[in-house]
Amino acid sequence: MHQLGPYTSPLVDHAVRTAHWIDARHFWYVDTSHGVPTIMLGDAAKGTKAPAFETAALLASLNAAGLKEQDAKKLFVERLEPDFAANTAIVSVGGERYSCALTQPYKCTKTAGAQARQVAAAPAQRSRASSVASPDGKRAVFLRDWNLWVRDVDTGAERQLTTDGVKDFGYATDNAGWKHSDQAIVIWSPDSKKVATFQQDQRAVADFTTTTTQVGHSRTDTWKYPFVGDKEIIHIQRVIVDVGDGTVVRLKMSPDPHRSSLCDDVVCGEGPQDMQWAKDGRTLAFVSTSRDHKVETMRIADATTGTVRDVFTETVPTWFDSGYNDEGINWRYLSERGEILWWSQRDDWGHYYLYNARTGKLVRQVTQGRWNVDHPVYIDERSGKMLIAGIGREPGVDPYYRSIYAIDLKGGKPKLLTPERQDHIAVPSSDGRYFVDIYSTPQEPQTAVLRRADGAVVTDLAKGDVTRLRAAGWQAPENIAVRCADGKTLCHGLLFKPAGLDPRQKYPVIDYIYPGPFTGTISSRQFAPSMGDAGALAQLGFAVVEIDALGTPRRSKAFQDFYYRDMGKQAVPDQVTGIKDLASRNTWMDTDRVGIWGHSGGGNATATAMFRYPEFFKVGIAESGNHDNRNYEDDYYEKYLGLLESNGKTTNYDLQANQDFAQNLTGKLMLAHGILDDNVPVSSTLLVVDALQKANKDFDLVLFPRARHGYGDQSYYMMRRRWDYFVENLMGAEPPKAFKIVAPGVSK
């Protein structure tokens, strides 16, 4: 058996994953198309590219300066900051910064303040030390004892900014219950003088505790974690802090629920958030979201006085999203134009709407049609020209593939800039005149080119090659379109055919699932050689199916809303109809032997499948499932199922509780969970365990005493147990005893 594993295979030459602009003209990227990573410098104006270093020589110089890495293939450069006048560059590797000459022998020296000098490329960028650097890189704010502090990056001098923060009522604190850290949550003003943040009030919120397993007395970790239906949830009091003199301006408004217009936190990844500064730093635009995510209010605050005015409100019948979770919030404060660019699905598709920021009146709908704006790539406020990524607009192209378009805030027809029928990632220059275009499909590796803003190709940058991978027996998955449970809609996905397929034989089927609603099963349509362990399971002789079902994003709003208020079935019926439809065209698929597995929300869906469709799903592995969302964070299901309602006997959450259907189990089920899970409490799985025991059902249970939501150093153990379980119970074969899985390049 050839095992590719979950990591990047050493047998595939990927080309380029991303690119980084140094200024409006120069950029750098790492080209791995020849096996060894090579740092490349590009000049957009000249249309040229060249290696910045010879990798082996650079590695030798870095090791001489203190780095300990012998394998050039494992050299991972996090950041490159060239100084062309001095013919040197700062190379960031392993959290350390090295100053290296750009000419051989590339003499390198470790620089002081390695971690402190993480200069922010965007106001919300975070450093490794849980501090947040200012846009000019001179200062960084951080948390200490529930208050906000500032550090001078050059001298290291520290100064307290707020003084009245107390336990569970601190400034800029990062706690959403399911996620908590020491990270300061702030948005710097463009002039590096102020930060927008909040004082987070969680004093009345219920506690949550995890307990370690060890010899002797256990250690506990306790923090505030609101559940669905709790009377008291986290609220934020918005403030603006002058970093120069420590003045705190409290915005003149009532506290907001701890919510965002997109994700189940107040901050959604990197990049623009629900707090956005005007370019002159005088005003702050932000969105207040209702507890149930049905009402979004755009507001603008005066940064000096704290006066707040409402600009406009959007109210929806189900829930509101301002974009897609993995791309971030899509609305923008166009302060130079006095406008708000708002993203909404009000006409069933995700489009841009332009509002007057002073009057709150709709100026125009900027984009329209039966397709979605996926995310903005670049906006020129003065000209009104934009680059965007769009999905579902090009006929005959997979509806999840992103294409890059030029549009105008005045409206009009979008201009397609990337004609290749693949999934495109655009990385724009700071002035928007160029962008690096990286495109691929699940079958074809990444190609990278440099384009002008009109789409014209300036130069080719790199192209991936899977020749060695195919020679080793790798098979690409196939794109599929299958019938959804409504009988009329097509659900799209991937099929991994079993290795050595003989169409005269019958092969068991494994369905991998993540049910949404904020994301689907397939996290990306970009090329990856293994896509988790789907490829490995196919090598073992299974047909592996992945379907983005009804109830998941990037199609119409009606598509995503399909299971609203019926979340107990979320996505599972579409797996049944989809696999049956697929098997009708691939008769070698054995629908009498169908297994299913998933993690987190996928663990929930797996148990649902085993309990509600026992005649179809025979084997299931439910990892870390949120089996009853009344035992989960308030912000998640209160959005997708609604606020908890009770008539004294029943609630609107009863039909999503997997433990109440456990008595229907007839197949083989393995449950797994980390005891220290601080995202989905282990009690969620234990509710199912208790119900299965009461129903006198046989099942298997794997608990990880040291693991949180992911299984850390036990991930390979879980993978091996998963393979064994399917081989033994679905295939009817005997797996090798205690097979050890290791990452590529690591000796057993």
Side-chain angles (χ1 to χ4, degrees):
M1 176 191 68
H2 179 69
Q3 202 314 85
L4 299 176
Y7 292 107
T8 297
S9 171
L11 300 176
V12 61
D13 301 320
H14 281 286
V16 177
R17 287 296 194 185
T18 190
H20 313 267
W21 286 88
I22 300 162
D23 51 38
R25 173 177 173 176
H26 301 94
F27 60 97
W28 69 276
Y29 60 97
V30 177
D31 183 355
T32 61
S33 61
H34 301 292
V36 175
T38 302
I39 303 172
M40 303 290 292
L41 280 173
D43 186 321
K46 293 182 178 179
T48 59
K49 62 183 181 184
F53 306 96
E54 193 279 317
T55 302
L58 173 63
L59 181 61
S61 295
L62 289 170
N63 281 331
L67 181 70
K68 292 179 171 55
E69 178 57 70
Q70 301 303 315
D71 188 350
K73 292 182 179 180
K74 296 181 181 179
L75 179 61
F76 176 68
V77 175
E78 299 150 0
R79 189 178 178 89
L80 183 72
E81 303 167 57
D83 183 339
F84 295 113
N87 200 34
T88 61
I90 298 296
V91 180
S92 297
V93 181
E96 302 289 349
R97 289 160 53 88
Y98 301 84
S99 178
C100 301
L102 285 171
T103 53
Q104 290 210 43
Y106 310 129
K107 183 178 180 181
C108 298
T109 57
K110 187 181 293 187
T111 64
Q115 292 185 350
R117 278 198 167 277
Q118 293 288 332
V119 179
Q125 182 165 332
R126 306 165 184 177
S127 81
R128 290 177 175 272
S130 295
S131 60
V132 185
S134 58
D136 63 11
K138 295 180 180 180
R139 294 183 285 193
V141 293
F142 62 97
L143 299 180
R144 179 178 293 159
D145 298 328
W146 304 93
N147 281 287
L148 198 61
W149 289 63
V150 63
R151 178 186 300 114
D152 184 286
V153 171
D154 283 329
T155 67
E158 297 176 349
R159 179 166 45 87
Q160 189 168 354
L161 294 174
T162 65
T163 58
D164 60 334
V166 295
K167 185 178 185 297
D168 294 322
F169 192 32
Y171 287 90
T173 51
D174 179 27
N175 180 34
W178 68 276
K179 168 185 171 291
H180 59 288
S181 75
D182 294 328
Q183 175 68 51
I185 305 299
V186 302
I187 308 294
W188 279 95
S189 62
D191 59 9
S192 298
K193 293 181 179 180
K194 298 178 180 180
V195 293
T197 184
F198 46 79
Q199 190 172 9
Q200 181 159 300
D201 190 355
Q202 54 191 32
R203 290 170 292 183
V205 174
D207 288 340
F208 181 80
T209 300
T210 58
T211 304
T212 61
T213 301
Q214 61 191 69
V215 176
H217 294 289
S218 297
R219 289 179 290 104
T220 61
D221 184 15
T222 299
W223 68 97
K224 299 294 185 178
Y225 190 141
F227 279 6
V228 163
D230 283 0
K231 179 180 178 181
E232 300 293 343
I233 64 169
I234 301 170
H235 283 80
I236 58 175
Q237 299 181 15
R238 299 182 185 273
V239 299
I240 293 174
V241 182
D242 188 309
V243 180
D245 60 17
T247 300
V248 178
V249 175
R250 198 168 295 269
L251 301 194
K252 297 174 182 177
M253 58 178 290
S254 299
D256 271 333
H258 187 278
R259 297 289 187 267
S260 82
S261 65
L262 180 59
C263 67
D264 47 350
D265 201 348
V266 290
V267 171
C268 305
E270 302 292 343
Q273 303 295 334
D274 272 330
M275 297 182 288
Q276 298 180 23
W277 284 94
K279 289 191 176 179
D280 62 10
R282 297 173 61 183
T283 57
L284 177 78
F286 62 96
V287 175
S288 295
T289 299
S290 63
R291 177 169 178 169
D292 60 5
H293 289 266
K294 294 180 186 294
V295 182
E296 306 291 338
T297 303
M298 174 62 68
R299 292 174 163 144
I300 293 180
D302 185 297
T304 301
T305 67
T307 301
V308 176
R309 60 182 177 86
D310 291 359
V311 182
F312 61 84
T313 296
E314 179 160 351
T315 303
V316 298
T318 56
W319 77 83
F320 182 88
D321 274 339
S322 62
Y324 300 115
N325 258 57
D326 53 345
E327 292 293 351
I329 287 164
N330 276 344
W331 70 267
R332 295 293 185 269
Y333 182 22
L334 307 181
S335 60
E336 292 181 317
R337 300 173 61 95
E339 294 172 328
I340 302 288
L341 185 62
W342 185 245
W343 191 92
S344 170
Q345 295 169 295
R346 65 185 61 168
D347 69 353
D348 202 31
W349 302 90
H351 284 299
Y352 270 132
Y353 298 80
L354 193 64
Y355 281 86
N356 185 300
R358 183 179 61 83
T359 67
K361 299 296 185 182
L362 177 64
V363 177
R364 69 179 61 88
Q365 183 173 350
V366 178
T367 59
Q368 54 190 316
R370 294 176 60 83
W371 61 283
N372 296 300
V373 174
D374 192 81
H375 64 274
V377 173
Y378 182 83
I379 305 174
D380 186 328
E381 283 197 47
R382 295 182 180 178
S383 70
K385 305 294 185 183
M386 282 185 65
L387 300 179
I388 62 167
I391 48 177
R393 190 173 187 273
E394 303 306 312
V397 177
D398 187 296
Y400 294 91
Y401 286 0
R402 295 163 291 185
S403 299
I404 310 303
Y405 299 91
I407 66 170
D408 196 300
L409 291 176
K410 296 177 182 178
K413 183 179 179 180
K415 177 187 176 183
L416 177 65
L417 304 179
T418 52
E420 299 84 2
R421 297 158 73 89
Q422 300 194 33
D423 182 52
H424 291 260
I425 297 173
V427 185
S429 61
S430 59
D431 60 3
R433 294 178 60 198
Y434 302 94
F435 65 93
V436 175
D437 177 21
I438 304 167
Y439 56 90
S440 70
T441 69
Q443 297 80 32
E444 297 294 329
Q446 283 74 12
T447 293
V449 300
L450 176 68
R451 295 184 188 269
R452 294 189 181 90
D454 62 2
V457 175
V458 177
T459 187
D460 296 332
L461 298 178
K463 185 175 179 60
D465 186 355
V466 293
T467 301
R468 292 191 300 151
L469 194 63
R470 290 187 186 279
W474 175 81
Q475 296 178 159
E478 295 182 5
N479 290 25
I480 58 173
V482 296
R483 181 168 54 88
C484 302
D486 65 354
K488 57 185 180 181
T489 306
L490 287 180
C491 287
H492 291 254
L494 296 172
L495 169 63
F496 299 77
K497 290 183 176 179
L501 172 65
D502 180 350
R504 297 168 299 179
Q505 303 296 320
K506 287 285 190 177
Y507 294 85
V509 180
I510 295 176
D511 182 27
Y512 172 67
I513 185 171
Y514 194 90
F518 69 94
T519 189
T521 295
I522 304 167
S523 60
S524 172
R525 258 64 180 187
Q526 284 281 307
F527 177 84
S530 56
M531 294 191 174
D533 63 348
L537 288 168
Q539 289 284 326
L540 288 171
F542 296 100
V544 181
V545 178
E546 299 183 356
I547 298 172
D548 280 331
L550 289 166
T552 58
R554 287 191 162 88
R555 302 286 290 278
S556 68
K557 177 62 169 166
F559 186 101
Q560 190 175 12
D561 282 349
F562 189 81
Y563 291 101
Y564 181 67
R565 287 195 166 278
D566 192 15
M567 295 292 291
K569 295 180 181 178
Q570 176 78 2
V572 177
D574 309 290
Q575 312 301 311
V576 177
T577 59
I579 291 172
K580 287 181 177 179
D581 185 19
L582 193 61
S584 71
R585 290 173 269 146
N586 298 275
T587 55
W588 47 266
M589 294 176 63
D590 189 351
T591 55
D592 288 329
R593 291 186 294 165
V594 178
I596 185 170
W597 82 276
H599 188 93
S600 192
N604 173 315
T606 294
T608 297
M610 296 297 293
F611 298 160
R612 299 200 187 192
Y613 298 89
E615 73 288 347
F616 188 76
F617 294 103
K618 306 301 171 52
V619 181
I621 302 172
E623 300 179 7
S624 301
N626 49 315
H627 296 287
D628 187 335
N629 286 280
R630 290 169 293 192
N631 276 34
Y632 193 39
E633 52 126 343
D634 61 314
D635 198 1
Y636 186 58
Y637 256 56
E638 287 189 350
K639 176 178 182 177
Y640 299 122
L641 184 52
L643 301 180
L644 181 63
E645 302 166 358
S646 174
N647 60 14
K649 295 182 179 180
T650 61
T651 79
N652 55 322
Y653 275 69
D654 293 346
L655 292 180
Q656 59 80 50
N658 276 337
Q659 70 271 15
D660 291 344
F661 300 88
Q663 71 275 8
N664 298 331
L665 178 67
T666 60
K668 297 288 294 186
L669 175 64
M670 174 185 284
L671 300 167
H673 217 113
I675 296 294
L676 298 181
D677 196 329
D678 52 0
N679 180 341
V680 177
V682 67
S683 62
S684 195
T685 286
L686 296 181
L687 286 171
V688 177
V689 168
D690 184 51
L692 288 168
Q693 291 171 340
K694 289 177 179 177
N696 197 31
K697 297 292 182 177
D698 292 333
F699 64 97
D700 293 280
L701 178 65
V702 177
L703 294 176
F704 296 97
R706 295 180 291 106
R708 298 187 186 275
H709 195 52
Y711 301 145
D713 61 6
Q714 295 299 302
S715 295
Y716 280 158
Y717 174 82
M718 186 65 231
M719 184 184 290
R720 194 267 292 175
R721 290 295 304 273
R722 188 163 61 241
W723 295 0
D724 287 357
Y725 206 70
F726 283 132
V727 166
E728 184 174 0
N729 295 295
L730 196 62
M731 185 179 285
E734 183 176 348
K737 187 174 179 60
F739 182 77
K740 186 175 182 181
I741 302 173
V742 296
V746 177
S747 63
K748 295 184 180 182

